[in-house]
Amino acid sequence: MTALLVCAALGIEARAIRRGLPAHLARVVVTGVGPRRAARAAAGLAWREAVAVVGFGGAAGRNLRPGDVLVASEVRFRGRVHPCPSAPLLAGELAEAGLPASIGPLVTADRLVRGAERHRLAAEGAYAVDMETGPLARAAAGRPLAAVRVIVDTPEAPLLSLATLTRGVAARRTLAALGPALVRWAAVLPKEVLS
């Protein structure tokens, strides 16, 4: 049995994260983009392992820049909050691997969030936004949960711009380096939460 289930929305994210993961310790699934596809993928998964949702994300405010890593302290989705109490543990593992990470709230939105709406989320304390983690966090209730997003865009550096390709390539390299820290995080979790 694997110790870790890693969920990624895009094939490019999944391929990057697989590079640093031993196949016998982790299983990687592609969920598809958006909350509807993530919920559909979640319905078909067996939830036996610790769960890490990883991929690209957008900064809500000025705390994060392209290339930064966010480990979610909680996931907010449709009025619910899904806590990630082991976020400091994972952030510590990432720091030891040379990947310093911020810890803060992640919001899952139903659609791309731009401009003023991102600033509103930042004013509510959100650090970043994505479109998949919420339904996966809901389905993984009771399992150890981590959500890690590598920032690709910000309100000042929008997703739909020429610089996105360069930022995306750099973010993919960062995703490829996350694997060992995720495995170590799952390995140090108390055994009773993984049974």
Side-chain angles (χ1 to χ4, degrees), residues 52-139:
V53 183
V54 301
F56 307 135
R62 292 187 167 93
N63 292 348
L64 299 171
R65 293 186 294 208
D68 287 350
V69 178
L70 173 73
V71 176
S73 57
E74 64 184 30
V75 178
R76 302 173 186 172
F77 179 59
R78 295 183 180 164
R80 288 186 155 169
V81 175
H82 304 277
C84 302
S86 63
L89 177 65
L90 178 54
E93 292 293 343
L94 289 168
E96 282 190 30
L99 296 166
S102 295
I103 300 173
L106 172 68
V107 172
T108 296
D110 290 312
R111 57 185 167 31
L112 282 177
V113 177
R114 297 185 178 120
E117 191 173 358
R118 285 209 195 177
H119 290 296
R120 180 187 58 77
L121 292 172
E124 294 172 359
Y127 277 42
V129 62
D130 77 350
M131 293 175 35
E132 296 80 28
T133 305
L136 296 162
R138 182 181 295 164

Side-chain angles (χ1 to χ4, degrees), residues 3-8 12-28 50-55 69 71 89-99 146 148-150 171-188:
L4 178 63
L5 169 63
V6 179
C7 299
I12 190 171
E13 295 166 330
R15 285 187 299 277
I17 197 71
R18 274 188 188 109
R19 287 188 194 156
L21 289 172
H24 67 287
L25 294 178
R27 149 175 92 112
V28 179
V51 178
V53 183
V54 301
V69 178
V71 176
L89 177 65
L90 178 54
E93 292 293 343
L94 289 168
E96 282 190 30
L99 296 166
V148 181
R149 292 293 169 175
V150 179
R172 186 175 55 88
R173 278 194 302 269
T174 301
L175 279 178
L178 296 176
L182 290 170
V183 169
R184 287 192 305 275
W185 165 77
V188 298

